[in-house]
Amino acid sequence: MRHVAIVGSGPAGYYTAETLQKADEIAIDVIDRLPVPYGLIRTGVAPDHQSIKAVSRRYEGVALTDNVRFVGHVSVGDDVTIDELTELYDAVILATGAPNDRPLEIPGAGLKGVIGSAAFVGWYNGHPDFAHLDPPLDAPGVTVIGNGNVALDVARILAKTPGEFAGSDIVAHARDALAKSGVRHIQILGRRGPHQIAMTPKELGELGHLERASPRVDPADLPPEGDDAMLEPGMRKSVTHLRSFAANPVAKPVTIDFDFFAMPVAIEGEGRVQRVIVERTRLDADLRSHGTGETYAIEAGLVVSCIGYQTPPIPGVPYEHGRGRFANDEGRILPGLYCVGWARRGPTGTIGTNKPDGARIAEMLLEDIGRGGGKAGRPGLDSLLASRGISPVTFRDWRRIEEAEIKAAIDGAPREKFTSIDAMLAAIGR
Ligand SMILES: Cc1cc2nc3c(=O)[nH]c(=O)nc-3n(C[C@H](O)[C@H](O)[C@H](O)COP(=O)(O)OP(=O)(O)OC[C@H]3O[C@@H](n4cnc5c(N)ncnc54)[C@H](O)[C@@H]3O)c2cc1C
C-alpha cells in the first residue's frame, strides 16, 4: 500500500487526488487546516459567481471515493510537522495555496482602513480568519489597487445593491454592512494601461450591467483602436469592454473609475486612511511603468490592495522568498516532498490551471515512489493526532456542517456559511 498525504483541500489538492486515486494500492489523506474543504472555491471565488463554485461537486466526487479521506481542522506546521508527515507517508504534497497578501510597500500602508484583498475577500466570503475585519464602508471613496480579476471582484461586490446579491452566498455580516455602505466612488488603480490588464472579458463585462453603478474609462487612456489587433482574442474582448465604457458613460449613483497609468506612492490620513497619493506613470518600450513625477490625491476611506498573494513558509520546507512560494523543481521540493497549485506556481491561473498541474504531479510522484516503502500512513497519523488530543473533522462531518449551512440559507441563497471555526464545530456537536 502506498500512502500519500495532500496538504490543502483546494482545487490543486483535489485535482491531484483525482489522478492519484485511480492508481492501485493507494491511500490518500487530504489534510486541511479548516474544518471545511475546497480552499478558495469557498473563500475566494466571488459569492455572486455560484456557477464557478459548482466545481466543488467534482471534488466531492473525489472525496467520496474509498481511497481518499478528508482530514479537516489539522494545521500542518502547527498540529503536525512536515518531518512527521514525511516519516508517515511515502509522499507529501503541499497544496496550501497562497493565502497571504503580498504587502503593499508604500508609506501609510499600515493605516487603519488599508486592507489586502485576501482579508477583504475572506471577509465577504466568511473565511474564519477574517470574519471580524469590519472594513470601513462609511466614506464615499474607495481605492482598489490592481488590474486583475480580484480587483474587479472587489469593486463589483462594493458596488452591488442588496437585491443584486440574491442567489449568492455572501455571508450575513458582509450583506448587512454593504447594505448600509456609504461607498459612492470606486477607483481602480493600474500602473500600466488598458492593454496590460489581467482582467477577463466576462468579469469586466459584468460591470456594465450593475443596477446602481457604472464603469468609467478615460478615452485618452486607450491606445489607437488598430493596436487591439495584436492582442490575443480574450484580451481583445476585455479591451473592447473598456472601449465601450469609455464611449458610453452612463450616469448612475455609484461610479467605478478605471485610473490607468496610476501608481500609488503613499497613503495618508489622521488615524485612518483619508487619501491616496498617486503618481502618473508612463510605459517604456518594454512596457514597464515609470513614475513621471506628476502626483495627485484621491479621497478614500478604504483602500483594498489586490496586488497578489504569497504562500506562507512552513518550517523545514525550502522557500523562495522573492516569489513567495515553495522552492521547487517542477513540483519536487525534497525527496518525498512535493508541491502543486498556487503553492508551486505562485498565485496565477484559474481553477482549471490546477487540473493539469495536479495530474502531472500525481503521475510524477507515482513513478517516484513505486510500490511504496511500508510507511505507517493513515493509522500512523491517527495515533499521532490522538496522542495530541486532536480529533480531525471527517468528510462526513463536513457534510453535516454543509447541511446545517444549507438549512440556514436565506430565501434564494444556496447556504448561510458559518464564519467561525467554533460555529462549524458546534454544528457537529463539538
Ligand atoms: C479572490 C479570488 C477569486 C478567484 N476567482 C476565481 C474565479 O472566479 N475563477 C477561477 O477560475 N479562479 C479564480 N480564482 C483562482 C483560484 O481560486 C485558484 O486558482 C485556486 O484556488 C488555487 O488552488 P490551490 O489549491 O492551489 O489553493 P487554495 O484554493 O488556496 O487551497 C489551499 C488550501 O490549503 C489549506 N491550507 C493552507 N495552509 C495549510 C496548512 N498549513 N495546513 C493545512 N491546510 C492548509 C487552505 O485552508 C486551503 O483549503 C480566484 C482566486 C482568488 C484569490
Side-chain angles (χ1 to χ4, degrees), residues 7-8 10-12 32-33 39-40 44 52 76 95-97 309 341-342 349-351 354:
V7 185
D32 205 286
R33 60 181 281 260
L40 286 173
I52 296 173
V76 173
T96 48
Y309 301 96
W342 276 19
T350 61
I351 296 163
N354 300 295

Side-chain angles (χ1 to χ4, degrees), residues 11 20 70 96 107 126 203 209 212 239 252 258 274 296 303 317 334-335 353 365 370 395 398 409 416:
L20 283 176
F70 177 66
T96 48
E203 280 68 21
H209 302 284
R212 66 167 177 189
V239 173
K252 290 191 185 175
F258 286 84
Q274 289 172 313
Y296 55 98
V303 174
V317 182
L334 292 170
T353 318
L365 171 161
F395 201 76
W398 147 244
E416 184 65 58

Side-chain angles (χ1 to χ4, degrees), residues 105-385:
E105 286 166 338
I106 58 174
L111 276 172
K112 190 167 178 290
V114 183
I115 294 172
S117 58
F120 189 74
V121 169
W123 170 74
Y124 64 62
N125 264 324
H127 192 302
D129 290 355
F130 305 110
H132 300 293
L133 186 73
D134 196 18
L137 300 172
D138 53 334
V142 175
T143 299
V144 178
I145 303 173
N147 263 186
N149 277 344
V150 176
L152 288 182
D153 279 354
V154 167
R156 187 182 70 254
I157 295 292
L158 283 166
K160 278 196 162 181
T161 59
E164 288 177 292
F165 287 114
S168 81
D169 66 354
I170 189 164
V171 294
H173 60 233
R175 208 166 48 228
D176 294 347
L178 289 165
K180 290 184 253 153
S181 158
V183 172
R184 294 296 174 266
H185 310 295
I186 301 163
Q187 195 116 355
I188 303 179
L189 300 186
R191 296 159 70 109
R192 302 195 292 162
H195 273 195
Q196 285 77 42
I197 55 172
M199 297 167 166
T200 45
K202 181 182 162 287
E203 280 68 21
L204 208 40
E206 273 179 273
L207 292 192
H209 302 284
L210 296 176
E211 214 170 285
R212 66 167 177 189
S214 63
R216 301 194 302 194
V217 171
D218 182 349
D221 284 341
L222 289 160
E225 204 160 341
D227 292 2
D228 293 0
M230 63 179 140
L231 299 173
E232 59 85 19
M235 257 300 279
R236 204 177 314 139
K237 257 189 174 168
S238 290
V239 173
T240 303
H241 283 302
L242 293 177
R243 289 193 185 282
S244 142
F245 300 158
N248 312 298
V250 184
K252 290 191 185 175
V254 176
T255 53
I256 303 173
D257 281 295
F258 286 84
D259 196 356
F260 292 111
F261 308 106
M263 168 171 69
V265 288
I267 299 175
E268 297 177 348
E270 297 298 317
R272 61 172 282 190
V273 51
Q274 289 172 313
R275 73 198 74 81
V276 182
I277 309 300
V278 180
E279 182 173 1
R280 269 281 159 250
T281 64
R282 59 169 184 75
L283 300 190
D284 65 18
D286 296 324
L287 303 176
R288 281 189 301 246
S289 63
H290 299 274
T292 60
E294 178 198 341
T295 61
Y296 55 98
I298 304 172
E299 300 297 310
L302 168 67
V303 174
V304 186
S305 101
C306 311
I307 57 169
Y309 301 96
Q310 296 175 331
T311 299
I314 296 182
V317 182
Y319 190 77
E320 210 179 320
H321 281 276
R323 304 180 74 167
R325 63 184 196 188
F326 296 121
N328 72 94
D329 179 13
E330 298 287 310
R332 289 188 179 93
I333 302 178
L334 292 170
L337 185 62
Y338 302 79
C339 57
V340 68
W342 276 19
R344 180 181 89 73
R345 307 189 310 271
T348 58
T350 61
I351 296 163
T353 318
N354 300 295
K355 187 166 179 267
D357 197 11
R360 203 182 52 78
I361 297 290
E363 278 154 18
M364 184 172 85
L365 171 161
L366 286 171
E367 209 161 284
D368 285 355
I369 65 174
R371 301 176 66 82
K375 299 258 185 152
R378 276 183 190 179
L381 179 70
D382 290 349
S383 47
L384 181 69
L385 293 176

